Amino acid sequence: MQKVPTMVMLIVTCTMMLLMLPQAYATRWTVGGNMGWNTNFNYTTWAKEKHFYKDDWLFFVYDRNQMNVLEVNKTNYESCNSDHPLHNWTTGAGRDVVPLNVTRNYYFISGKGFCYGGMKIAIHVQNLPPPPKPAPVKSGTTTTTTLTVSYKSNIILLSLVFAIGTLWDAFIHLW
């Protein structure tokens, strides 16, 4: 009787690990941080020091009764023209998610006149940089190699540790 719940737990854990792996490399950016998608905020300054990579996500949070999220070309971005958007990301919930799945420049505005109040953002999406190469080992000296792990690699490592712990727990209960 004890084997059935343990096996179910093992299958659920393995499935959860597989589902977590693709998300470990992407970042979900809440546009404007705590301010959200709102007027009187400088989105150019907000985006300036951020690096947006392919497969990241933009998360727009705003008042669904007043504003919207439109993707436009560069010309319409500069002139705040919302007449012919490339894509209307507005879902009506005021919580819109935009996948950044192509490396290129993206231009977003809010129509209904809000673009003139600063509700527009331009970002450049690039490929993830390759991991840093290890420093060359000098001959004649004793060195220890240290493993440099990026933040996103830590997410995978942490998921793996929890999965191993769950498997160990399942094994103990099965035994």
Side-chain angles (χ1 to χ4, degrees), residues 4-72:
V4 174
T6 304
M7 292 305 284
V8 170
M9 184 65 156
L10 180 64
I11 292 170
V12 168
T13 302
C14 290
T15 305
M16 295 283 286
M17 272 188 56
L18 289 174
L19 291 175
M20 288 173 62
L21 285 177
Q23 297 174 357
Y25 290 103
T27 301
R28 186 189 78 166
W29 297 97
T30 301
V31 177
N34 292 337
M35 292 297 295
W37 187 233
N38 212 334
T39 57
N40 301 320
F41 186 81
N42 190 331
Y43 292 97
T44 303
T45 303
W46 176 83
K48 192 177 211 175
E49 296 184 18
K50 293 177 178 40
H51 298 282
F52 299 96
Y53 297 111
K54 184 177 180 250
D55 296 327
D56 281 355
W57 299 79
L58 292 181
F59 185 49
F60 290 86
V61 180
Y62 59 94
D63 180 354
R64 67 181 183 182
N65 296 317
Q66 295 184 11
M67 298 146 189
N68 57 11
V69 178
L70 305 173
E71 184 177 351
V72 295

Side-chain angles (χ1 to χ4, degrees), residues 100-169:
L100 304 174
N101 51 13
V102 177
T103 55
R104 64 178 174 91
N105 292 323
Y106 288 81
Y107 303 96
F108 299 97
I109 65 172
S110 182
K112 305 176 186 177
F114 289 107
C115 179
Y116 297 108
M119 287 185 67
K120 64 183 194 173
I121 185 171
I123 61 166
H124 176 71
V125 175
Q126 55 195 355
N127 284 320
L128 216 90
K133 295 182 180 180
V137 177
K138 296 179 183 177
S139 61
T141 61
T142 306
T143 61
T144 25
T145 306
T146 58
L147 178 62
T148 305
V149 181
S150 70
Y151 172 75
K152 292 181 180 181
S153 295
N154 283 340
I155 293 173
I156 293 173
L157 183 62
L158 187 60
S159 300
L160 189 60
V161 167
F162 280 119
I164 291 170
T166 303
L167 291 173
W168 179 255
D169 186 54

